[in-house]
Amino acid sequence: MARKRRVFGGKFKAKVALAAIRGDKTLSQLASQFSVTGNQVSAWKRKLLSHSPETKSLFSNLAELSMIRDLTQGGDHGRLFGESGTSDDAAVSIVG
């Protein structure tokens, strides 16, 4: 019997895309970590960054700030605005 296609939600795609933008791991490492293909990681990252030039700048800055905060506080990756998850919600609306 054929394997059923997996369907990824917007939150998952945004999480993977933001991790790719953060740049602390290679695409291959991210693909392995999230059990997806490198092409999917690249496509989701490209979609998030191509939304608009402002989006590229915004998410690059958010990823940089997230890394700085994580290094100084040991916080949760990808959360810049507390528990509300504003940056993640914006990414989900673009990638999802």
Side-chain angles (χ1 to χ4, degrees), residues 47-64:
K47 185 172 182 181
L48 183 62
L49 293 178
S50 69
H51 187 65
S52 72
E54 295 82 24
T55 303
K56 181 177 181 176
S57 170
L58 171 68
F59 284 109
S60 294
N61 291 339
L62 289 175
E64 184 178 330

Side-chain angles (χ1 to χ4, degrees), residues 68-94:
I68 291 169
R69 196 209 64 225
D70 290 341
L71 290 172
T72 59
Q73 298 177 356
D76 182 28
H77 290 287
R79 294 278 181 201
L80 292 176
F81 301 106
E83 293 302 314
S84 67
T86 305
S87 64
D88 290 345
D89 293 341
V92 169
S93 67
I94 295 168

Side-chain angles (χ1 to χ4, degrees), residues 18-35:
L18 289 172
I21 291 170
R22 191 175 298 122
D24 55 349
K25 293 185 179 179
T26 65
L27 290 178
S28 178
Q29 290 171 327
L30 291 171
S32 178
Q33 177 184 342
F34 293 107
S35 301

